[in-house]
């Protein structure tokens, strides 16, 4: 019989992040639960199954394989030697310690935990992050679901602000750390989980800023950098550095903010990714403006524009960078101009940002509307400032930092 490669099994190994060696070890572990003794499977057996040299393994291997992938042997790409060989015996004992991939997805008792009732739990339920694996084998498909949930959290933030996302993010981080401790996975999945945790720490940091808790935000941004380094993900590292520079700037440590941003730009991946480079250059411009470096600020703003011009509009956009549009670049440029005392240029750039912002980004729209009113007041344009904030509805906005700024504007208008 001609040898035919078992592409089905090969694809399953890739999906569940198994190497030949780790699958062999898993077969041996499951065999111990079925037969009462550890199996003798080795990586050479797996290679022979995939190459097609062995098209129907022995029962002591097939039964564990069926349980690991929760599908019959023929659905694993194996071909029976004869009619009777396809009828495998019933396993004498079902293991309790190794849930199958199917159980990982569907067993609500052994594999899922739920967030207790609270305001944050309502958001968590709506975002679909209330179930996290606590055992079994994790695949890249599990990680993909994690990132999809994080994307929905990012969209929630851009729409109405941080609010309960602090507790939602920290709860999800705890669950993912539980998955790291209680599940089995390959190196690729492990790094991807650390990248997801870094993203959640970053989200928690931004939510803290919105809630007015700067100290806690700094701790979250530092934790995001640590997880990004564990993930060996240059983009996540650049994001964490960028957030730490913003943290330093908000604390009034402007020279430190400049140094951090420059360190982030030293990352080759950051320089090569035009979106990340554009964001870092824009934030560098603000830091340099705050330190009085007019030439450096102008050069950094130009660098942001050049980097943004290199963006491929057909390339996928990371959800955390979805906010970086021409509107946001105009808004960031306005902050730099304001720091340099160029209020007229800052006002024009802020107005441009508002013209370009989509209606769905309510948080950012409110942020720049308040900024526009502040700039108008700084130039003595009280009537324009009053018109800018008239009718501004923040009832659905969950950002204390923005609403506090709006209150200060209205207080000045009524003084």
């Amino acid at each position: 019989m001609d040898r035919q490669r078992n592409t089905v099994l090969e694809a399953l190994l890739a999906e569940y992040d198994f190497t030949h060696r780790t699958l062999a070890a898993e077969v041996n572990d499951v065999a111990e639960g079925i037969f009462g003794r550890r199996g003798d499977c080795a990586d050479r057996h797996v290679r022979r199954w995939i190459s097609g040299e062995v098209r129907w393994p022995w029962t002591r291997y097939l039964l564990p394989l069926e349980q690991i992938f929760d599908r019959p042997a023929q659905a694993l790409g194996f071909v029976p030697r004869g009619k009777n060989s396809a009828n495998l015996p019933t396993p004498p004992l079902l293991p309790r310690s190794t849930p199958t991939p199917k159980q990982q997805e569907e067993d609500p008792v052994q594999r899922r935990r739920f967030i207790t009732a609270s305001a944050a739990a309502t958001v968590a339920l709506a975002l679909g992050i209330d179930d996290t694996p606590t055992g079994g084998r994790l695949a890249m498909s599990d990680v993909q679901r994690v990132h999809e949930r994080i994307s929905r959290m990012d969209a929630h933030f851009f729409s109405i602000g941080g609010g309960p996302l602090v507790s939602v993010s920290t709860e999800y981080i705890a669950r993912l750390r539980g998955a790291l401790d209680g599940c089995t996975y390959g190196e690729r999945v492990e790094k991807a989980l650390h990248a997801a945790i870094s993203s959640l720490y970053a989200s928690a940091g931004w939510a803290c800023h919105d809630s007015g808790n700067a100290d806690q935000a700094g701790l979250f941004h530092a934790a995001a950098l640590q997880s990004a380094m564990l993930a060996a993900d240059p983009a996540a590292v650049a994001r964490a550095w960028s957030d730490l520079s913003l943290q330093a700037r908000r604390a009034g440590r402007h020279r430190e903010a400049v140094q951090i941003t420059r360190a982030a730009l030293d990352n080759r991946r950051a320089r090569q990714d035009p979106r990340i480079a554009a964001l870092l250059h824009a934030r560098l411009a603000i830091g340099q403006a705050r330190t009085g470096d007019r030439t450096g600020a102008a050069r950094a703003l130009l660098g942001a524009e050049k980097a943004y011009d290199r963006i491929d509009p057909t390339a996928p956009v990371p959800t955390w960078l979805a906010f970086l549009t021409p509107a946001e670049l105009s808004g960031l440029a306005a902050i730099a101009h304001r720091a340099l005392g160029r209020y007229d240029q800052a006002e024009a750039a802020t107005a441009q940002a508002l013209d370009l912002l989509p209606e769905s980004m309510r948080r950012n729209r409110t942020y720049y509307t308040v900024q526009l009113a502040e700039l108008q007041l700084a130039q003595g344009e009280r009537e324009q400032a009053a018109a800018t904030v008239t009718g501004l509805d923040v009832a659905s906005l969950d950002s204390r930092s923005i609403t506090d700024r709006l209150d200060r504007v209205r207080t000045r208008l009524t003084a």
Side-chain angles (χ1 to χ4, degrees):
M1 181 181 295
D2 293 336
R3 180 184 300 185
Q4 184 173 350
R5 191 172 185 84
N6 189 339
T7 56
V8 174
L9 183 62
E10 188 173 33
L12 286 170
L13 262 70
E15 166 66 12
Y16 287 94
D17 202 24
F18 279 117
T19 63
H20 295 173
R21 180 181 57 80
T22 57
L23 178 59
E26 190 85 354
V27 168
N28 291 334
D29 289 343
V30 176
E32 185 173 10
I34 295 176
F35 304 110
R37 63 182 184 278
R38 185 170 173 79
D40 60 355
C41 185
D43 54 355
R44 69 178 184 277
H45 294 99
V46 181
R47 285 196 297 272
R48 295 174 70 193
W49 301 337
I50 291 176
S51 70
E53 181 181 349
V54 174
R55 305 193 68 185
W56 189 256
W58 294 107
T59 299
R60 65 177 181 270
Y61 303 135
L62 278 180
L63 287 179
L65 285 168
E66 286 189 334
Q67 184 164 313
I68 291 169
F69 294 107
D70 194 35
R71 61 194 71 193
Q74 287 172 273
L76 297 174
F78 295 122
V79 180
R81 290 187 291 270
K83 183 177 180 180
N84 292 332
S85 67
N87 299 319
L88 294 178
T90 302
L93 179 64
L94 289 179
R96 298 179 181 272
S97 59
T98 310
T100 66
K102 186 74 171 180
Q103 287 172 327
Q104 290 177 7
E105 293 179 4
E106 296 181 0
D107 189 336
V109 176
Q110 297 182 17
R111 196 170 186 261
R112 312 295 186 191
R113 283 190 258 160
F114 296 93
I115 299 176
T116 57
S118 66
T122 302
V123 175
L125 183 62
L127 295 174
I129 66 168
D130 58 345
D131 57 339
T132 305
T134 57
R137 181 82 183 183
L138 294 180
M140 287 304 295
S141 57
D142 294 295
V143 177
Q144 180 60 36
R145 282 190 287 274
V146 171
H147 282 290
E148 287 170 357
R149 290 161 186 154
I150 294 174
S151 296
R152 291 195 290 272
M153 290 176 63
D154 289 339
H156 180 93
F157 176 84
F158 293 138
S159 177
I160 66 171
L165 291 189
V166 176
S167 55
V168 173
S169 297
T170 53
E171 174 68 20
Y172 203 19
I173 288 167
R175 292 170 184 272
L176 291 180
R177 290 200 179 282
L180 281 168
D181 288 337
C183 299
T184 59
Y185 39 78
E187 182 179 357
R188 188 163 59 110
V189 169
E190 180 181 24
K191 288 183 176 181
L193 282 174
H194 282 300
I197 290 173
S198 176
S199 181
L200 284 166
Y201 272 127
S203 297
W206 275 91
C208 279
H209 280 304
D210 263 18
S211 302
N213 190 343
D215 291 340
Q216 188 64 45
L219 295 176
F220 283 139
H221 290 320
L225 177 60
Q226 178 180 334
S227 293
M229 294 177 72
L230 288 174
D233 185 334
V237 170
R239 178 186 183 182
W241 278 122
S242 175
D243 289 343
L244 284 168
S245 72
L246 179 64
Q247 173 74 17
R249 190 182 88 210
R250 289 184 170 178
R253 303 190 304 271
H254 302 301
R255 293 191 183 279
E256 179 184 329
V258 169
Q259 292 168 348
I260 292 174
T261 309
R262 282 176 173 160
L265 282 167
D266 285 341
N267 183 307
R268 185 167 61 90
R269 168 68 182 275
R271 294 195 306 272
Q272 291 180 343
D273 188 313
R275 290 187 188 276
I276 296 177
L279 176 62
L280 290 173
H281 275 107
R283 288 186 173 165
L284 177 61
I286 296 171
Q288 290 173 318
R290 294 280 174 85
T291 60
D293 184 356
R294 293 175 176 270
T295 302
R299 189 163 51 242
L301 286 176
L302 181 60
E305 293 176 6
K306 288 183 176 179
Y308 197 85
D309 287 342
R310 292 192 285 113
I311 291 175
D312 178 1
T314 64
V317 183
T319 55
W320 73 272
L321 274 174
F323 75 98
L324 190 66
T325 62
E328 184 67 19
L329 279 184
S330 293
L332 293 173
I335 297 172
H337 289 309
R338 181 180 185 176
L340 292 170
R342 300 170 179 164
Y343 295 117
D344 54 341
Q345 294 182 50
E347 181 179 352
T350 304
Q352 182 180 44
L354 287 168
D355 286 340
L356 296 174
L357 269 175
E359 293 294 334
S360 60
M361 300 187 74
R362 289 181 290 164
R363 178 196 177 277
N364 288 24
R365 175 167 289 280
T366 305
Y367 178 93
Y368 286 121
T369 299
V370 174
Q371 177 171 291
L372 180 60
E374 291 171 338
L375 289 164
Q376 290 166 337
L377 279 173
Q379 298 175 88
E381 302 168 353
R382 293 179 62 86
E383 291 184 2
Q384 293 94 323
T388 296
V389 298
T390 296
L392 188 60
D393 182 15
V394 294
S396 62
L397 189 69
D398 206 336
S399 172
R400 178 182 170 185
S401 64
I402 297 176
T403 54
D404 283 352
R405 287 176 61 181
L406 177 59
D407 288 342
R408 288 193 291 271
V409 168
R410 286 174 170 163
T411 298
R412 290 182 60 188
L413 287 171
T414 57

